Amino acid sequence: MLKNKSALVTGSTSGIGFGIAHALARAGSSVMLNGFGDAAVIEKLRSDLAAETGTRVLYHAADVSRAGDVAALVAATEQAFGSVDILVNNAGIQFVSPVEDFPEERWHAVQDIVLNSSFYAIKAALPGMKQRNWGRIINLVSAHGLVASPFKSAYVAAKHGQIGLTKTVALEVAETGITCNAICPGYVLTPLVENQIEGQALAHQLPRDRVIREVILASQPSKRFVEIEDIAALVLFLCGESAKSITGSAIPIDGGWTAR
Ligand code: NAD
């Protein structure tokens, strides 16, 4: 389905990003992986994915909070594969604190890694997409791009910002073959959420299963985590030709969270 396409997925050494990279490679796209982690573990992820899917899979260690790194990441992908046809802005971090105690350095880190990185990558990838008159920009946002929760001021602000960026870019390229959308998952069981489960278990002195149901999934009516594979399937759909008129959308995949 995506043969002759190439994709760049930021933050794809773990969790949702790796799941999306995996699905794109299985659909035939070349894939540039990015993110942090142990070098040997990442090389194994890369080579296993290439061997399993028979597509070209590369890795770039850019820190997406830095504009220069992101420009180099996009340029390296274009040089290796000839284009960035699909850009998935997925890298993200979380930090939880009451707003009056929120460390400024953590606030800026969240804005840089979640919101500013998306701007840098879109800015760098869009000229090539315009030249080819085809592109898919998918920003991996969150239900927290649509609604708030206490103690997540930086994350909620950055995720709302990503939706504003999505809509603006969609309008700017609306007459081209490029679409720009936001995917807004509810809770997904990844290392990012594992850290929150551990923190909440300590804070509330509750066992893990009660923390998951009563604290983490309190606002997710399905009481089930969203599956990474289901998010990846939505990405594939948005990359297809039948999604060409879906642009500027913020699509929830959240077990009913934002229906409340
Ligand atoms: P994760 O912690 O498993 O993965 C995050 C990835 O981002 C990792 O590969 C990490 O190395 C990378 N990363 C972090 N900082 C980076 C930087 N400066 N430069 C490059 N890469 C960097 O988290 P996840 O749960 O898979 O989250 C992926 C995205 O999905 C995030 O944007 C997150 O906000 C969003 N999201 C997650 C959930 C959830 O419940 N897990 C829900 C909604 C949205």
Side-chain angles (χ1 to χ4, degrees):
M1 168 192 159
L2 297 176
K3 287 210 164 41
N4 305 319
K5 299 289 187 218
S6 57
L8 163 55
V9 185
T10 69
S12 47
T13 52
S14 168
I16 298 169
F18 183 73
I20 292 171
H22 188 247
L24 289 168
R26 285 184 68 168
S29 177
S30 306
V31 175
M32 178 64 86
L33 299 173
N34 157 259
F36 296 150
D38 178 82
V41 174
I42 293 173
E43 173 48 25
K44 183 160 167 38
L45 270 187
R46 187 205 67 73
S47 57
D48 284 356
L49 187 56
E52 181 199 328
T53 59
T55 59
R56 290 183 297 169
V57 182
L58 295 175
Y59 165 73
H60 193 289
D63 174 346
V64 296
S65 68
R66 298 163 183 256
D69 274 29
V70 178
L73 170 62
V74 170
T77 312
E78 288 177 335
Q79 196 168 13
F81 301 145
S83 59
V84 175
D85 304 302
I86 299 161
L87 168 65
V88 183
N89 287 309
N90 167 81
I93 58 167
Q94 176 62 280
F95 191 83
V96 181
S97 164
V99 68
E100 68 272 28
D101 301 327
F102 214 105
E104 287 171 15
E105 177 274 325
R106 287 289 86 197
W107 172 275
H108 289 297
V110 174
Q111 305 313 314
D112 286 341
I113 293 168
V114 171
L115 177 58
N116 295 341
S117 67
S118 305
F119 159 66
Y120 302 144
I122 291 169
K123 184 176 177 183
L126 206 48
M129 289 181 179
K130 279 185 168 171
Q131 253 173 26
R132 292 180 296 279
N133 197 34
W134 198 91
R136 293 289 187 265
I137 301 169
I138 297 167
N139 296 317
L140 218 299
V141 182
S142 167
H144 279 125
L146 299 165
V147 294
S149 296
F151 313 123
K152 295 185 174 174
S153 54
Y155 188 82
V156 169
K159 293 292 182 186
H160 275 67
Q162 272 187 307
I163 291 184
L165 176 66
T166 302
K167 291 178 181 175
T168 306
V169 172
L171 292 179
E172 290 185 21
V173 298
E175 292 188 34
T176 73
I178 305 164
T179 66
C180 181
N181 290 290
I183 292 181
C184 302
Y187 280 101
V188 187
L189 193 55
T190 67
L192 185 135
V193 168
E194 278 293 352
N195 292 337
Q196 294 176 58
I197 294 172
E198 285 164 27
Q200 293 294 326
L202 271 178
H204 297 275
Q205 289 294 306
L206 285 174
R208 178 186 164 84
D209 56 334
R210 284 192 59 195
V211 170
I212 289 176
R213 193 175 168 83
E214 294 169 26
V215 182
I216 300 287
L217 297 181
S219 42
Q220 197 150 303
S222 65
K223 300 294 175 197
R224 289 187 307 272
F225 285 109
V226 177
E227 302 281 339
I228 291 177
E229 291 73 17
D230 295 349
I231 299 172
L234 180 53
V235 169
L236 288 188
F237 175 72
L238 289 173
C239 289
E241 281 313 297
S242 41
K244 61 184 173 297
S245 294
I246 302 178
T247 194
S249 299
I251 305 170
I253 172 165
D254 64 5
W257 180 344
T258 54
R260 284 185 195 276

